[in-house]
Amino acid sequence: MSLTAETVDPLWQAGASTGSFTSRCGVNKQGQHNSDNDIVAPGVSNGAHHVHDYVGNRKVDFNSMNESLSAQGTSCTNGDQSAYYWPVLRDITRQGPDAKALGGGAEGNRGAILVPATVSISYQGSPTGKVVAMPHFLRIITGDAKAFTSGTKNANAHWSGTGFENRGQLTDKYPICPSGSKVVRSFAFQRCWDGRNIDSADHRSHVAFADADGTCAGGFKAIPQLTMRLIYKTPGAPNFAVDGFQGQQHNAITDHNDFINVMTDRLMNQAVSCINSGRRCG
């Protein structure tokens, strides 16, 4: 089973699940930010060493557990309590309030945090057949925060500008957008699951990208594929940068995104039904 990102859209076959399900979760107007990572470093304050932006679940931090996530409210209009989070983008021409704080300027992440103008979250089907429900509390990380130094095997960064997305995606460079165009970060998560585990020791092996023909090989099952699109109004490149670990030089290739499924079984089954029946819901 391939762990590398899908780079070519496979041909959709007869029997494909062509529907979609959308969660509308806003743009983090509540300002939920921290430098924790409950997937990689549960129980460790500042485990990410860079700041995350959040939508969906109202309280996600290093103390979060499945039970506490289920008890929180959500910014999503359909009741989706899932945690969606990613490293913030910063305007490096301005100083932010965390200029001396861990996760922020004290660890090389300088600048004012830019909140996305829009956040689009949707779940897509499989080109080769039906999808099965994601398990409750499934955790997925897509992309690699250390891809600049560790190599691009797990990288899944895609940068572009509005109006130019069909001309290709940048992976290791930030887009220089003309007047009227906004910066776009897009993510297509792993669409295959091992059918057993909600996480794994490396936080990757329990999920995978499909093969070139769209098939989930090796006994993996197709699940709704989470896709996200973040749009920003930024200063011109190179005056913005993504937060990251020290030594990664805020390189665009290190962009990544994290997800914990906290949908109720009822909502997840609704999403699966929409996707498998070819409907667009949400």
Side-chain angles (χ1 to χ4, degrees):
M1 171 60 66
S2 173
L3 290 175
T4 57
E6 297 166 30
T7 56
V8 178
D9 290 332
L11 294 174
W12 287 68
Q13 302 176 12
S17 43
T18 58
S20 64
F21 182 85
T22 298
S23 280
R24 294 179 173 84
C25 302
V27 294
N28 194 18
K29 287 184 177 180
Q30 291 73 30
Q32 183 182 183
H33 293 113
N34 59 47
S35 56
D36 302 338
N37 191 323
D38 184 52
I39 297 177
V40 175
V44 179
S45 178
N46 189 42
H49 300 284
H50 54 265
V51 176
H52 285 125
D53 218 349
Y54 293 83
V55 297
N57 201 281
R58 293 287 193 190
K59 190 177 191 320
V60 186
D61 59 26
F62 70 96
N63 282 320
S64 293
M65 302 179 68
N66 293 344
E67 295 77 9
S68 66
L69 291 169
S70 294
Q72 297 300 324
T74 179
S75 67
C76 304
T77 57
N78 59 4
D80 176 7
Q81 295 167 278
S82 298
Y84 303 94
Y85 58 103
W86 54 87
V88 297
L89 202 62
R90 293 182 187 258
D91 176 352
I92 60 176
T93 68
R94 298 187 290 129
Q95 180 170 297
D98 62 349
K100 298 181 180 180
L102 291 176
E107 297 186 89
N109 295 306
R110 300 182 178 88
I113 291 173
L114 296 166
V115 174
T118 63
V119 175
S120 301
I121 299 171
S122 66
Y123 295 82
Q124 308 294 326
S126 165
T128 61
K130 305 303 182 186
V131 298
V132 301
M134 289 182 179
H136 212 192
F137 306 121
L138 177 68
R139 285 143 164 86
I140 307 179
I141 298 172
T142 199
D144 185 356
K146 297 182 179 179
F148 181 69
T149 56
S150 65
T152 61
K153 175 184 176 182
N154 294 314
N156 193 19
H158 295 89
W159 298 85
S160 187
T162 55
F164 298 90
E165 292 170 82
N166 62 349
R167 300 187 185 181
Q169 302 284 315
L170 298 173
T171 57
D172 60 352
K173 295 179 176 62
Y174 296 114
I176 300 174
C177 299
S179 177
S181 177
K182 297 182 176 66
V183 169
V184 180
R185 301 163 73 182
S186 56
F187 304 90
F189 282 64
Q190 296 87 319
R191 68 163 92 232
C192 304
W193 167 56
D194 70 5
R196 300 182 303 277
N197 300 296
I198 61 171
D199 201 357
S200 49
D202 62 0
H203 310 293
R204 296 185 184 277
S205 300
H206 63 299
V207 290
F209 292 98
D211 292 339
D213 64 356
T215 301
C216 290
F220 279 58
K221 303 174 184 294
I223 55 175
Q225 184 182 37
L226 171 59
T227 63
M228 296 182 62
R229 184 169 174 264
L230 316 177
I231 299 178
Y232 294 81
K233 183 178 180 180
T234 67
N239 291 323
F240 62 88
V242 67
D243 261 24
F245 290 108
Q246 294 191 49
Q248 299 303 309
Q249 298 188 20
H250 307 286
N251 192 283
I253 196 68
T254 65
D255 205 11
H256 58 283
N257 206 318
D258 300 68
F259 164 71
I260 304 174
N261 172 39
V262 198
M263 284 192 191
T264 62
D265 290 342
R266 179 179 180 181
L267 186 61
M268 176 56 67
N269 289 334
Q270 179 184 339
V272 168
S273 175
C274 288
I275 291 167
N276 283 341
S277 63
R279 292 177 289 141
R280 298 183 181 276
C281 307

